Amino acid sequence: CFLPLPLEGSGSMYWICCRKTFCYGCIQSQIEAHRDDLRKAQICPFCRGDYSKYDPVKHPANHLAQVLKLANAGHPTAIQNVARYHFHGEIGLQQDKAEGLRWYHRAVEAGSADAAYNLGKCFWEGDGVDKDRVQALGYFRKAAELGSVPAYCFIGDILIAIGEIDEAMLNCRKAAMCGWSDDTLFSNLRVGFREGFITKDEYAFTLRENQAACDEMKS
């Protein structure tokens, strides 16, 4: 459909047959089009391969083997997925946060925004590593540089915590104008407006751009 992908990972799926990411709206459209033959609904619309053989629930071994193959070939999303599988103990792997962190670092080097974002969260929350606000901020900045919109929210939160309010509001506005919407983000924007860190025109423009971005992603 060529619409922008949803910002939250739960709204899209990475198909490892051809390394494409589809929104669930497109996937549902394919299912509806082949309601009488669900086998056809699992045919990748790009490479025409049978995705069902890589189903992570029914065929975890096939799925993991294909993801590892792509990861070892240097594909950023595949490397990030291997990192997640190790870190959380998914797809039949034993949980190993140290190994997961190693793959996350590798994924960042390959250009994965999600991996940089996840490393930022690890350092922010102290998950698998010691809490480190400076490291967290660095990885969130890297994630934003690579295209992660929610990273702007964490950058804003960290900058608010250390008193860098002007830059924090700039990052919160960037997240909102890209279509990110959550209560914490809008609470920060309201406070920024009320306290004079965001002008009336900037606040109104940010809200209009947020709505336009959200509308554009609907499918």
Side-chain angles (χ1 to χ4, degrees):
C1 65
F2 300 106
L3 293 174
L5 286 170
L7 297 178
E8 296 183 82
S10 59
S12 61
M13 187 172 74
Y14 174 67
W15 285 39
I16 60 176
C17 51
C18 63
R19 309 182 305 282
K20 302 288 186 182
T21 300
F22 300 87
C23 73
Y24 281 150
C26 290
I27 294 172
Q28 185 61 36
S29 294
Q30 178 149 318
I31 292 173
E32 292 293 332
H34 301 289
R35 184 171 291 278
D36 296 331
D37 187 351
L38 292 181
R39 185 186 62 81
K40 290 183 179 179
Q42 294 179 310
I43 299 298
C44 175
F46 278 89
C47 70
R48 310 308 299 169
D50 182 1
Y51 183 79
S52 65
K53 65 183 179 182
Y54 300 122
D55 188 303
V57 176
K58 296 179 180 178
H59 305 290
N62 287 353
H63 179 90
L64 184 58
Q66 178 68 1
V67 174
L68 282 169
K69 177 182 176 181
L70 295 174
N72 288 324
H75 195 268
T77 304
I79 302 172
Q80 140 70 21
N81 284 357
V82 174
R84 192 182 80 242
Y85 298 159
H86 280 293
F87 196 86
H88 296 288
E90 299 176 0
I91 317 294
L93 292 176
Q94 286 287 105
Q95 186 177 38
D96 186 339
K97 292 191 174 183
E99 183 67 4
L101 289 168
R102 187 179 73 81
W103 279 92
Y104 275 138
H105 284 291
R106 183 176 166 185
V108 172
E109 292 174 1
S112 170
D114 287 340
Y117 175 80
N118 286 329
L119 280 173
K121 287 189 69 175
C122 286
F123 281 103
W124 178 248
E125 299 170 355
D127 189 2
V129 293
D130 293 333
K131 282 189 176 183
D132 189 324
R133 183 184 291 171
V134 174
Q135 287 267 56
L137 182 58
Y139 278 112
F140 284 133
R141 288 190 189 280
K142 180 65 174 177
E145 177 187 319
L146 291 169
S148 171
V149 173
Y152 287 119
C153 296
F154 273 98
I155 294 171
D157 289 341
I158 295 172
L159 292 173
I160 288 171
I162 63 178
E164 300 287 343
I165 309 301
D166 286 328
E167 189 181 352
M169 290 300 106
L170 179 60
N171 280 277
C172 289
R173 290 185 63 218
K174 285 180 180 178
M177 289 189 290
C178 288
W180 189 258
S181 302
D182 67 27
D183 292 340
T184 300
L185 173 62
F186 286 115
S187 176
N188 287 340
L189 290 170
R190 283 193 297 270
V191 172
F193 171 56
R194 189 171 63 241
E195 298 297 324
F197 294 101
I198 301 174
T199 68
K200 181 179 180 180
D201 287 344
E202 288 173 337
Y203 188 57
F205 179 76
T206 300
L207 295 182
R208 287 197 301 271
E209 288 295 299
N210 175 264
Q211 187 60 58
C214 290
D215 290 343
E216 191 177 8
M217 287 182 284
K218 289 179 181 177
S219 66

